[in-house]
Amino acid sequence: MPPLATLADRLRTALGTDAVITDEAARRTYDCDGLTHYKVTPAVVVLPVDAEGVAATVRLCREYEVPFVARGSGTGLSGGALPRSDGVLIVTSRMRRILEVDLGNGRAIVEPGVVNLAISQSVADRGFFYAPDPSSQLVCSIGGNVAENSGGAHCVKYGFTVHHVTGVELCTPDGDLVWIGTPMAAEAPGYDLVGVVVGSEGTLGIATKVAVRLLRSPQAVTTLLAAFRTVAEAGAATSAIIAAGLTPAAAEIMDALAIKAAERAVDCRYPEGAGAVLIVECDGPTSEVEAEVAAVVRLCREGGAFEIRVAADPTERSEIWRGRKSAFAAVGRISPNYIVQDGVIPRTALAEVLAEIDALAAAAGIGVANVFHAGDGNLHPLVLYDATVPGAYAAAEEVSGAILDLCVSYGGSITGEHGVGVDKAAKLPRMFTEADLDTMQLLRCAFDPGGRANPGKVFPTPRLCGEVPRPRAADDAPPLPPAVEAW
Amino acid sequence: MTPVRPDSVLNALTSACGPGFARPATPQESVGGVEARWLVTPGTTEEAASVLRVAAEHRLAVVARGAGTKLDWGATPAAVDVILDTGRLTGVSWHAPGDLVATVGAGTPLRSLQAVLEPAGQRLALDPGSASAGATVGGVLGAGEAGPLRLRFGIGRDLLIGVEFIRADGVVAHAGGRVVKNVAGYDLGKLLCGSFGTLGVITSATFRLHPLPARRAWVCRSVWSPLEVHDLLNDVVMSSVVPTGIEIDLPVAHLPPVARQRGAEAPRGPGMIAVLLEGTHDGVAIRSSIMQKLLGGDASTGDYAPPWWGRYPFGPDDVALKLAVPVQDLHAAIYALRDAAGVPVPIRGSAGVGVVHAALPGTISPDEVTAVLNAVRGALVTRGGSCVVLAAPARIRPKLDLWGPVPGMNIMRRVKEQFDPFRLLSPGRFVGGL
């Protein structure tokens, strides 16, 4: 292994001086992503302008045997882009070209640093959009979305990033640029590599080009807000809507504490006395949307809604969304600090689980505001604390962890869209057996036998590939046929 | 290979599955023309895992079999020692109607699953061509099969939210879960979908379900040529009618009509485009009348699917092709295929997503098939489309390049080496000899 000191010089030669950051103060600005209580200053930061720059960096990491971490816009909430002090942070924010838009084939090919919303904006005037819309969509990058398999408010109807990416140019941990999947067709022969790379949190390589589906914008969009006395009623109404066979494009709930925060922050003027609001959006052909909205209104009334507002125009629609979209940030108005949790439960268990979260919070004397994607059972409890009070963070984290246990005990998941990252790696064994985790390691070893791609994330116990229990290839195992060159 | 004593293998397989559920295979029990040596029918995941442990110990090649509707798909296996029949791994073990989620044994016929879901007003939105022949959940997932509904709902990998499977070494593993939204851990279910049983044996699958629509209607219009399909598709794509499926049926090549025959007064073309609309009663009525106007010609709306809907255009003795191409290139691909074939080539499939199936007569020579494949692949290569031979008579199959260029082949090879280093699971049946 060549001395590490020369790595930065080699990177400068390969990528240009302005693409490599070694100054300590400048490096420190990259020491965390959206989960700010984990901080590590990377050894070197590089900002490549294209796929070849990423590949050159990864090849040098291989040569120097150092780990690398990819970072898009740094909005991730599980510490997936937490740097390594002994490694290179590869920032894709200069790779922002939309390379091709092909509306006839319903596809765009973009670089990983392209901001999520920029894709929809580039085709909106021609009546198309890109469906996954994480709440950070104003700033988050497509590369980050691919790593995390990001969802958003509308994924209850449209699905997640993995349903909208058909192909990826991947920089493998060896530094090769390989297309997997297909840029313009619906499927490609062979294993569904795109299906596992999306959501692998940067541990299988770095997406350097992404082919995304573009959908025709819906003819009609109607948003309504229903106010309930209790969050249990709002949850039960959501369950009723799903069980009735309706497919709203979004179904979001905010509880009293979250409403209070939003009122303070953006004066959203939700109905007075609401213990919870349910926001439902329906989209599609006008005739179907009208029927769906009528059914949702009926089910909300039957479920105890005391006020229902149906947006009559886009202004009223954005009024309804304003409170919801501000919610995470708005919680800062009622609490100096908070933990954003992300867990999933069966949609039918909403009312029960929310009551149990209430009980947990009350027992610990800690406030929990609930803002969540009710349509798919994806909870985002915001656990409030004051970092200046000794022990407060630990107490909040205990409640936050107990909420995840609750989700798992109801047959749910420890993460619906924020990812495992560094934050929840230790919790993964609550969902999977040792054998399950070993099996996942087999995939990682296929892509990254050297363990250089974002090591220490997702999995609880880092293992070298030789240590993963599996049948060892014996001398008499027939060799695989020789490689066939792919395009 | 380790020398195998047949008696001891049969004994071991019998103790894995129980008396009566392991026996020597009959000559008819083969995969892609390769006769198996033993046939086992485990009744539980644990028994199936025991079978794979026995196979790993004795280095026996194992091919999982559901209803056997696609045993002639893929390449000829390098070896078939044990057929693992999933016929006892059946049933809906869990259905949460309020959550629209169900867990089902891999050996369950897809149509049986649908029959269980229907009384709850739900369905698995997966309708492959082999379903009517009794195809099982495991087989449909393993072969990556889908039908007309894929336009709106995607394919098996898009609906699968959790999976239980057995590794080549007999270890039972899981991925995903039982909720519709979940990003914990690698989503290995997607890797298994379409892998032809080369990475693991699926024993159970958990799906997200969809409500059955209140009404379905098909708007059908006759068409003359792939070019006409192309023009109509563009109109449909740009509309806001939101079809659930857009299928075409082009039975045989046909001379295009002279210009004056086009339009409403033209005689019926030999082919058909059919658009499925689903939704509320009133909504479907309105949308189908919009679609009918949009398609023009002799378009009409009906409550039933045309007889060819969701059925493959090939028979058991044909060379069965699947083209997956950019929608805009579909007509060019079909022309290239028909020109190269020089014989009438029936084509049918999901034009709305650019995936169609075609049938070449099984009597043509391997060289002729290769020439056709080269021509079509040559026309597609720059746009990332593919032309795959799903099935071919055993006589010519070994002489064909069934898949053409496979993006990421080297990574796939490494995945196989990790999951199945001894090459015991459906060896040789998949891309690149995997």
Side-chain angles (χ1 to χ4, degrees):
Chain A
M1 185 177 79
L4 199 59
T6 62
L7 175 58
D9 292 337
R10 297 277 303 278
L11 285 166
R12 283 194 187 91
T13 308
L15 302 178
T17 312
D18 62 334
V20 181
I21 298 173
T22 49
D23 171 68
E24 199 198 330
R27 276 188 286 126
R28 217 179 293 137
T29 60
Y30 293 96
D31 65 2
C32 66
D33 60 12
L35 192 66
T36 53
H37 59 270
Y38 291 96
K39 287 189 200 299
V40 174
T41 305
V44 184
V45 178
V46 299
L47 295 113
V49 294
D50 56 19
E52 288 67 30
V54 174
T57 305
V58 171
R59 280 195 298 271
L60 282 168
C61 289
R62 181 178 67 175
E63 187 183 327
Y64 282 75
E65 294 176 29
V66 300
F68 60 87
V69 177
R71 174 188 165 112
S73 300
T75 57
L77 291 171
S78 58
L82 184 73
R84 293 270 303 205
S85 61
D86 58 347
V88 177
L89 186 72
I90 301 174
V91 183
T92 59
S93 58
R94 291 209 294 173
M95 299 169 67
R96 288 217 167 148
R97 288 176 298 169
I98 293 176
L99 300 168
E100 187 176 351
V101 170
D102 186 334
L103 297 182
N105 288 313
R107 219 55 61 83
I109 298 174
V110 305
E111 290 188 322
V114 168
V115 168
N116 173 296
L117 189 61
I119 300 178
S120 287
Q121 284 172 338
S122 73
V123 292
D125 60 337
R126 286 168 283 176
F128 284 79
F129 75 113
Y130 173 64
D133 60 340
S135 54
S136 54
Q137 71 174 152
L138 277 169
V139 280
C140 68
S141 72
I142 286 297
N145 292 177
V146 167
E148 302 297 319
N149 189 16
S150 303
H154 291 83
C155 60
V156 56
K157 175 170 180 177
Y158 289 101
F160 321 107
T161 301
V162 73
H163 301 120
H164 296 274
V165 169
T166 59
V168 167
E169 183 193 70
L170 186 75
C171 178
T172 69
D174 287 335
D176 299 324
L177 294 175
V178 179
W179 260 99
I180 56 175
T182 164
M184 291 287 161
E187 60 181 61
Y191 297 140
D192 183 7
L193 299 179
V194 171
V196 285
V197 162
V198 175
S200 62
E201 308 196 24
T203 61
L204 303 181
I206 301 175
T208 51
K209 292 188 183 74
V210 185
V212 299
R213 287 185 206 278
L214 301 173
L215 303 183
R216 190 80 174 90
S217 304
Q219 186 179 22
V221 181
T222 300
T223 307
L224 66 88
L225 178 146
F228 295 85
R229 295 290 173 204
T230 67
V231 74
E233 282 181 354
T238 308
S239 300
I241 290 167
I242 300 296
L246 301 167
T247 312
E252 306 275 306
I253 290 179
M254 295 166 67
D255 72 0
L257 203 49
I259 296 169
K260 180 175 150 196
E263 294 289 358
R264 280 203 202 163
V266 297
D267 188 24
C268 50
R269 294 181 206 178
Y270 286 167
E272 211 46 57
V277 295
L278 167 63
I279 296 170
V280 178
E281 190 158 279
C282 299
D283 70 11
T286 310
S287 52
E288 301 289 349
V289 170
E290 283 168 0
E292 200 161 59
V293 168
V296 169
V297 167
R298 181 174 52 76
L299 289 168
C300 285
R301 279 205 205 294
E302 287 172 13
F306 66 86
E307 183 175 338
I308 295 175
R309 297 176 185 170
V310 180
D313 55 46
T315 314
E316 287 187 20
R317 200 176 127 215
S318 59
E319 275 295 294
I320 288 178
W321 275 112
R322 197 154 57 97
R324 167 63 185 93
K325 289 193 169 169
S326 74
F328 280 18
V331 167
R333 297 292 185 103
I334 58 166
S335 174
N337 307 92
Y338 57 94
I339 297 170
V340 180
Q341 191 47 280
D342 168 42
V344 188
I345 54 167
R347 300 178 269 203
T348 43
L350 277 173
E352 277 169 83
V353 174
L354 291 170
E356 289 203 44
I357 291 176
D358 264 358
L360 270 174
I366 281 177
V368 176
N370 282 294
V371 183
F372 55 93
H373 309 301
D376 42 28
N378 187 190
L379 305 180
H380 287 314
L382 307 167
V383 184
L384 315 183
Y385 69 100
D386 181 348
T388 62
V389 176
Y393 173 69
E397 216 184 28
E398 195 165 317
V399 169
S400 178
I403 290 173
L404 283 191
D405 291 341
L406 197 58
C407 292
V408 173
S409 74
Y410 274 83
S413 171
I414 58 166
T415 172
E417 56 185 5
H418 293 174
V420 177
V422 70
D423 194 39
K424 292 181 178 173
K427 298 202 165 69
L428 207 56
R430 294 192 197 170
M431 286 181 67
F432 298 108
T433 65
E434 185 93 346
D436 299 342
L437 297 175
D438 285 342
T439 308
M440 293 178 190
Q441 282 297 319
L442 297 178
L443 182 70
R444 178 166 199 171
C445 294
F447 278 81
D448 183 24
R452 285 184 302 273
N454 210 10
K457 311 293 167 61
V458 186
F459 296 102
T461 39
R463 257 205 265 253
L464 297 175
C465 282
E467 296 172 348
V468 178
R470 65 172 178 95
R472 311 287 312 197
D475 294 341
D476 60 350
L480 287 162
V484 177
E485 207 43 53
W487 95 76
Chain B
M1 295 283 259
T2 313
V4 171
R5 289 183 33 244
D7 286 354
S8 70
V9 169
L10 186 57
N11 288 342
L13 291 173
T14 302
S15 68
C17 295
F21 295 109
R23 59 167 170 80
T26 66
Q28 290 76 40
E29 282 159 344
S30 63
V31 178
V34 179
E35 285 176 25
R37 299 164 74 186
W38 296 280
L39 185 127
V40 298
T41 318
T44 63
T45 297
E46 256 322 307
E47 288 179 6
S50 301
V51 168
L52 288 190
R53 281 196 294 274
V54 170
E57 188 189 331
H58 295 278
R59 303 282 167 79
L60 304 174
V62 179
V63 176
R65 180 181 85 177
T69 58
K70 296 172 286 287
L71 280 181
D72 61 338
W73 286 29
T76 306
V80 183
D81 296 310
V82 180
I83 291 179
L84 191 160
D85 189 294
T86 60
R88 289 171 71 217
L89 301 172
T90 56
V92 178
S93 59
W94 182 67
H95 176 207
D99 287 312
L100 287 102
V101 174
T103 301
V104 58
T108 310
L110 193 53
R111 61 185 178 193
S112 304
L113 171 62
Q114 306 289 22
V116 170
L117 301 175
E118 198 185 337
Q122 299 178 358
R123 66 177 169 187
L124 174 62
L126 190 60
D127 56 348
S130 64
S132 58
T136 62
V137 164
V140 169
L141 290 179
E145 260 191 304
L149 293 177
R150 66 178 296 162
L151 175 70
R152 167 75 182 78
F153 299 101
I155 61 177
R157 59 89 94 170
D158 298 307
L159 299 163
L160 184 74
I161 59 173
V163 69
E164 176 191 76
F165 65 102
I166 308 170
R167 299 190 328 209
D169 58 357
V171 170
V172 180
H174 309 81
R178 305 213 296 188
V179 284
V180 295
K181 194 173 183 184
N182 173 17
V183 294
Y186 292 152
D187 195 354
L188 298 179
K190 291 194 169 54
L191 194 65
L192 294 169
C193 286
S195 68
F196 275 81
T198 57
L199 297 177
V201 175
I202 298 175
T203 48
S204 135
T206 302
F207 292 105
R208 79 172 293 177
L209 309 173
H210 287 87
L212 280 168
R215 189 182 166 196
R216 317 178 81 190
W218 282 263
V219 184
C220 301
R221 179 202 194 276
S222 61
V223 289
W224 280 99
S225 67
L227 184 60
E228 193 176 12
V229 169
H230 174 83
D231 295 343
L232 290 169
L233 271 180
N234 274 337
D235 294 341
V236 174
V237 165
M238 288 309 294
S239 78
S240 300
V241 182
V242 194
T244 309
I246 306 172
E247 299 281 305
I248 56 164
D249 178 43
L250 300 171
V252 289
H254 202 281
L255 289 176
V258 293
R260 65 187 157 79
Q261 284 181 318
R262 280 192 157 174
E265 292 79 33
R268 278 174 169 264
M272 187 178 276
I273 181 168
V275 177
L276 170 63
L277 300 169
E278 297 184 335
T280 59
H281 276 273
D282 295 347
V284 168
I286 294 168
R287 289 155 64 207
S288 53
S289 78
I290 295 171
M291 183 55 65
Q292 207 172 306
K293 282 198 198 86
L294 200 67
L295 291 178
D298 59 359
S300 64
T301 302
D303 289 336
Y304 297 97
W308 52 267
W309 179 268
R311 292 174 186 278
Y312 291 122
F314 44 77
D317 300 324
D318 291 333
V319 177
L321 303 181
K322 173 161 83 171
L323 282 78
V325 305
V327 176
Q328 293 294 319
D329 295 349
L330 182 59
H331 66 298
I334 294 172
Y335 283 125
L337 173 61
R338 288 184 162 178
D339 287 349
V343 291
V345 181
I347 286 161
R348 199 179 277 168
S350 305
V353 292
V355 179
V356 297
H357 294 96
L360 298 174
T363 49
I364 71 177
S365 74
D367 288 348
E368 287 171 301
V369 179
T370 297
V372 170
L373 294 174
N374 288 343
V376 178
R377 287 170 184 162
L380 296 174
V381 72
T382 56
R383 302 290 285 174
S386 61
C387 176
V388 167
V389 180
L390 290 179
R395 177 181 58 82
I396 62 172
R397 189 190 306 136
K399 301 187 177 114
L400 303 177
D401 174 5
L402 302 183
W403 288 276
V406 176
M409 190 65 233
N410 287 333
I411 299 174
M412 292 175 197
R413 203 174 300 283
R414 284 157 66 164
V415 170
K416 173 72 173 177
E417 282 167 4
Q418 288 290 328
F419 278 79
D420 183 19
F422 298 123
R423 305 190 67 225
L424 299 179
L425 299 177
S426 297
R429 212 175 160 203
F430 200 40
V431 293
L434 300 184

